[in-house]
Amino acid sequence: MWINRDGQLYQAADETRVKFRTSLSAKVLEELKQRADEHGTFVNYLLEDGLKELLQQETIHFTKDMRPKDRIQYKTTYDEVLLEQVRAAAKEHKLYINDVIEAGVQFIDVERAKRGQHRYRIE
């Protein structure tokens, strides 16, 4: 992001975001990459939107027997507060974090997700 200080623009890292590495379904990631490209956003913004909606639900419907077998490592940044809420929800429902992230995919609304230009915002 950029910070406007006394009429000058300074580039700064968004300190509300943290790096996180997990394993997600390769098929799901590929579909999300296509959706992100079509709508001018990023995969992690789509995932965050789905997670926000998922966390508003009272229960998380996930069948452990149906875990994808094609999981690959995925590393990106997430909103720090949201990631802590996901960790807590995973622990509460006795799931792994990647299970919760994959369950959130069904709640993604690309119109509601942040646009790709959000990372270049001026504050």
Side-chain angles (χ1 to χ4, degrees):
M1 75 177 160
W2 295 87
I3 297 176
N4 186 354
R5 191 175 303 139
D6 300 325
Q8 298 286 329
L9 287 178
Y10 298 94
Q11 191 172 18
D14 189 346
E15 295 177 9
T16 64
R17 303 193 67 76
V18 292
K19 293 178 183 178
F20 184 72
R21 183 181 69 197
T22 189
S23 297
L24 297 176
S25 168
K27 181 181 174 187
V28 169
L29 279 175
E30 187 57 38
E31 291 171 3
L32 289 175
K33 285 178 187 177
Q34 290 176 357
R35 286 175 71 184
D37 287 344
E38 290 171 7
H39 293 89
T41 188
F42 296 104
V43 173
N44 58 331
Y45 290 164
L46 293 176
L47 288 172
E48 285 180 352
D49 179 71
L51 288 171
K52 287 176 187 175
E53 288 300 309
L54 175 68
L55 293 174
Q56 291 179 3
Q57 310 294 318
E58 289 186 20
T59 59
I60 297 175
H61 299 287
F62 188 85
T63 306
K64 293 181 181 182
D65 297 337
M66 301 298 288
R67 284 188 173 125
K69 306 289 187 237
D70 67 336
R71 286 187 172 164
I72 59 171
Q73 191 175 87
Y74 180 67
K75 184 173 151 182
T76 189
T77 61
Y78 293 92
D79 180 86
E80 186 174 20
V81 174
L82 179 62
L83 188 57
E84 287 304 318
Q85 291 172 343
V86 169
R87 280 187 174 123
K91 187 175 182 178
E92 176 184 335
H93 295 284
K94 296 182 176 119
L95 294 170
Y96 296 116
I97 294 173
N98 53 350
D99 294 336
V100 176
I101 293 172
E102 288 175 344
V105 169
Q106 64 184 330
F107 295 102
I108 293 173
D109 180 358
V110 292
E111 298 302 320
R112 192 178 48 224
K114 294 177 189 174
R115 296 284 163 236
Q117 295 300 317
H118 179 75
R119 67 188 288 195
Y120 303 115
R121 70 193 181 279
I122 298 174
E123 290 187 355

